[in-house]
Amino acid sequence: MPEYLPLDIPDDPKLTQNITWFARALRKAGLPIGPGRLLDAIQAVEAAGFTSKQDFYCTLHACFVSRPEHRTTFAQVFRLYWRDPRYLEHMMSMMLPAVRGVQEDRTAQAGEKRAAEALLDGTNAELPEAETQEEEGTQIEIDASMTMSSEEKLRTLDFEQMSTDEVAQAKRMLARLKLPVQPIQSRRTKADPLGSGVDWRATMRKSMRQGGDLSEIARKSRRTRWPNLVVICDISGSMSQYSRMVLHFLHAVANQKGAAWARVHGFTFGTRLTNITRHLATRDVDAALAAAGAEAQDWEGGTRIGECLHVFNRDWSRRVMGQGAVVLLISDGLDRGTPEDLSKEMQRLHLSARRLIWLNPLLRWEGFAAKAQGIRAMLPHVDSFRAGHSIASIEALAEALSRPDDIGEKARLLQGIQ
């Protein structure tokens, strides 16, 4: 819950009108709010009163927030609308070209940019004139001819910093991505006139049909098959926005025809493990993720990586990884359990998988080091350790799959541990 700041109530507050506009901003920011919830909120505030800042926040929160993922957006819109008008000016400046003296040296936190866009929707917002020592009449011209295209800029933008429109555009870009994978040579064989092996059984059957004469030697080659893809995604509070984008990408991979994967399995975990594979088969992505979110009740909760991996290794590993599956683990590695148990379960998962690739959004920081105990316990048991915070990092994942020797940032971080 955000820090409560002084809330000044004017003599004529027009409370109903203010709550109505607040509900419109929340709806624009992505919360499913209709007239019914608005009437409930007005009646609830009348019953609870608004002399206490905490009661006022909790009353509106109870009426407007129905899903865990909406809490952050609600908190930011509430902060901008009811408490901190100067912060709205900062968010407005972030939407303008970065000019020294106008934009603050701070990036938006989770949900802040979406909240500001919701409040500024439909208005011609202009920043107040800043005090400057320049002479009157001096104009600043910005040459944008060499700037990146919006799509190219979006590829490197952190998922956590995207606005509502940018998230929608990023989802469309993720839906076009593919994960190529190399086929696996099976021990089974098939008839092949140009094969390198001799099929003695077929050769003898053919000779028996010809009275025992050996006129031709049958040949065979090894079959090829496609591996399974198993995605284990962290949906704890620190991973919520990244998890949603990865699951959207996972749905696209699961429904791509000719994607080369035998089958795609999806699991989410926070405080418990949830199998969402059957929901990924739903063609509509919004319906699929809504059903997955309804089944996974631990969205934006705590993290018990070791316990959840233990459940996966015990109940699901033999079912979905029996034929050399590739495993994608999406997590920040911040675990509340004991490092020894986590290391043991990671080792077991690594031995069961054909390849284990760990995507960690914390790698977006240049100075990232494996200091957390959970990360130090997990890192030695993965084949590749890569970032997973943007579209570009997801595209780089395709490279890791096409190159079996790719280890990402694993070697560099292991040197810091030793």
Side-chain angles (χ1 to χ4, degrees), residues 24 38 50-51 54 80 111 121 134 164 199 229 253 266 312 332 348 352 359 375 378 393 398 407 416:
R24 291 180 180 178
L38 175 59
F50 49 85
T51 55
Q54 183 174 0
L80 293 176
D121 181 58
E134 297 290 338
T164 305
D199 190 347
L229 175 65
V253 173
F312 176 84
D332 53 13
R348 182 177 176 183
S352 302
L359 300 183
I375 298 177
M378 297 169 64
S393 64
I407 62 173

Side-chain angles (χ1 to χ4, degrees), residues 97-100 102 134 137-147:
V99 182
R100 182 174 299 177
V102 175
E134 297 290 338
T138 302
Q139 297 181 354
I140 300 177
E141 296 183 359
I142 302 174
D143 184 8
S145 59
M146 299 300 292
T147 57

Side-chain angles (χ1 to χ4, degrees), residues 41-304:
I42 295 173
Q43 295 174 359
V45 171
E46 290 178 350
F50 49 85
T51 55
S52 170
K53 297 183 290 292
Q54 183 174 0
D55 290 347
F56 184 61
Y57 178 90
C58 292
T59 300
L60 293 180
H61 186 279
C63 296
F64 290 142
V65 177
S66 58
R67 297 189 61 82
E69 58 267 25
H70 297 154
R71 295 173 183 169
T72 302
T73 303
F74 175 87
Q76 299 299 347
V77 176
F78 186 93
R79 178 185 182 184
L80 293 176
Y81 189 88
W82 297 100
R83 309 184 192 190
D84 196 351
R86 291 294 304 170
Y87 197 83
L88 183 60
E89 294 180 6
H90 164 73
M91 297 306 302
M92 291 163 58
S93 69
M94 291 187 62
M95 300 176 192
L96 298 178
V99 182
R100 182 174 299 177
V102 175
Q103 187 176 19
E104 300 177 18
D105 295 331
R106 191 175 74 80
T107 58
Q109 297 179 2
E112 291 179 343
K113 192 172 182 182
R114 293 190 293 275
E117 285 188 342
L119 292 175
L120 296 175
D121 181 58
T123 62
N124 185 16
E126 296 182 358
L127 285 174
E129 296 182 0
E131 296 182 1
T132 179
Q133 298 179 356
E134 297 290 338
E135 297 181 359
E136 295 184 0
T138 302
Q139 297 181 354
I140 300 177
E141 296 183 359
I142 302 174
D143 184 8
S145 59
M146 299 300 292
T147 57
M148 294 186 297
S149 65
S150 59
E151 186 168 317
E152 183 66 22
K153 182 178 180 180
L154 192 62
R155 289 180 62 255
T156 58
L157 187 62
D158 194 316
F159 290 143
E160 194 68 54
Q161 308 300 333
M162 291 183 178
S163 66
T164 305
D165 293 337
E166 288 170 341
V167 167
Q169 185 178 354
K171 288 180 178 179
R172 291 191 293 268
M173 294 175 63
L174 288 174
R176 298 195 300 264
L177 296 182
K178 295 183 179 180
L179 286 183
V181 63
Q182 295 181 356
I184 302 174
Q185 279 196 343
S186 174
R187 288 178 296 180
R188 297 179 180 273
T189 60
K190 63 179 180 178
D192 185 0
L194 302 178
S196 58
V198 178
D199 190 347
W200 294 112
R201 180 176 298 179
T203 301
M204 296 304 295
R205 285 199 302 266
K206 185 178 294 187
S207 66
M208 292 295 293
R209 289 194 294 268
Q210 298 176 356
D213 294 335
L214 186 61
S215 61
E216 183 181 356
I217 297 179
R219 310 197 71 83
K220 63 181 179 179
S221 62
R222 297 176 65 177
R223 294 179 181 269
T224 57
R225 60 179 178 83
W226 302 104
N228 291 340
L229 175 65
V230 179
V231 180
I232 308 175
C233 189
D234 187 346
I235 58 173
S236 61
S238 58
M239 286 287 299
S240 59
Q241 184 63 20
Y242 303 103
S243 301
R244 295 179 209 290
M245 301 303 291
V246 170
L247 290 178
H248 191 97
F249 171 63
L250 176 61
H251 177 271
V253 173
N255 287 273
Q256 282 177 354
K257 294 183 178 180
W261 297 101
R263 192 174 181 190
V264 178
H265 300 272
F267 296 84
T268 62
F269 72 91
T271 56
R272 66 178 186 175
L273 184 75
T274 304
N275 186 357
I276 62 170
T277 302
R278 62 189 181 93
H279 300 304
L280 297 177
T282 305
R283 297 294 298 177
D284 184 82
V285 60
D286 294 328
L289 297 187
E295 184 168 351
Q297 298 296 325
D298 51 346
W299 279 92
E300 297 192 359
T303 311
R304 297 191 180 99

